[in-house]
Each structure stands twice: as C-alpha cells, then as structure tokens.
Amino acid sequence: MLVNGEGKIFVGQRFDSVVEAWQMPQGGIDPGEDPWTAARRELEEETGVTPAHVEKIAETAGWLSYDLPPELRAVLWKGRYIGQRQKWFACRFTGTDADIDIATTHPEFKAWRWADPDTLPDLIVTFKQDLYRALIAELGPHLTRPTRAPTP
C-alpha cells in the first residue's frame, strides 16, 4: 500500500482486466525472500518506485486472504490456486509523481492514480473488496501524518 503525503493510495488498472477495476501493487514471494523484501521488489517491478522512495509505516498483524469466484479458478493461475493469502505493508511514498513509471520491463498496469482510502474498496473487483475493507480498517489509522498543534 503506497501512500502519498495527502493520505491517498496508489492504485493501478491492470492490462489483463476486462473491467475497469483497480488494485494496489501486489505479488509473490520468491523462495528465501521475506515479505518486506518481496513487497519492495514487487512495488518497484510494477510501479518503478525504488526502495529509496519508500518508508514502511505499518504492516498487517497477520495474513489476509481472498478466494477467486468459481468461474475464474480455472482461468487464473492455470487453475492451480483458488485464491491468495497476502501480507500487506503501508508505505509512505517519499518521492514525487515523476518517480512513478508504470512502463516497466514487464508492465502490469495501463493506468494509475491516487485513491481516497474511503472509496478504495469500491474501485476493486468485487471478490477482493472484503480484503481491501479489512486492510483499510487495519492500516487506515496509519495513513495520514500527524499534524502539529498550532502555536498559541
């Protein structure tokens, strides 16, 4: 979960999606790789954002999961999986929009934008919406920076 200075979240529209659905960057963990290292690698592979522009601010206490609808199980991942189990991190984006480049070596997104956390689940494919709601509920309090009280 890449969060900008306004508390908005990066979402991309996948090339392989036939509907106008958005998602946050995500991906698999390579053998011997820890989840935080995998998250930074996947973020860079999908968005061009380097680890130098990412500051971890929170992570989910455990793993979250979703199941694919039955009609997609045979189509996605060559029928080998019924869903995914995921570990999520909220990361402060310390760069500028110019540091985001979705035209990566193996592009996954055809468009990107910043989304408000309150409306994020509505942008996602229906079978992932509950996971995104749980994610926002758990990590949402960490998304905005605390402000200083005004000097009297």
Side-chain angles (χ1 to χ4, degrees):
M1 178 184 285
L2 188 65
V3 183
N4 70 9
E6 298 173 8
K8 293 189 176 186
I9 301 168
F10 176 97
V11 290
Q13 188 177 31
R14 294 185 58 86
F15 271 114
D16 60 3
S17 180
V18 294
V19 296
E20 188 179 335
W22 299 78
Q23 74 174 44
M24 291 182 283
Q26 64 180 55
I29 300 174
D30 290 339
E33 191 175 42
D34 66 86
W36 173 235
T37 301
R40 289 180 295 170
R41 176 185 50 76
E42 286 286 343
L43 182 65
E44 185 170 10
E45 287 176 2
E46 295 181 15
T47 68
V49 174
T50 65
H53 294 301
V54 175
E55 171 187 307
K56 181 168 69 169
I57 54 176
E59 68 182 89
T60 54
W63 294 75
L64 302 175
S65 62
Y66 68 87
D67 290 334
L68 292 170
E71 65 273 12
L72 292 179
R73 290 181 184 174
V75 177
L76 297 178
W77 304 311
K78 300 175 184 171
R80 293 183 294 179
Y81 306 103
I82 63 166
Q84 265 191 336
R85 186 174 65 106
Q86 302 174 327
K87 177 74 169 171
W88 283 91
F89 299 90
C91 304
R92 178 88 45 227
F93 178 50
T94 60
T96 67
D97 286 2
D99 295 312
I100 297 172
D101 182 8
I102 60 172
T104 60
T105 305
H106 302 286
E108 293 194 29
F109 299 128
K110 57 185 167 186
W112 72 273
R113 69 186 218 191
W114 295 108
D116 186 276
D118 294 334
T119 61
L120 179 63
D122 299 329
L123 302 173
I124 308 307
V125 292
T126 55
F127 62 89
K128 289 185 183 179
Q129 287 179 346
D130 286 342
L131 180 140
Y132 273 60
R133 284 186 190 97
L135 190 55
I136 294 298
E138 184 173 352
L139 298 181
H142 303 281
L143 301 185
T144 56
R145 293 181 188 212
T147 57
R148 294 194 173 135
T151 306

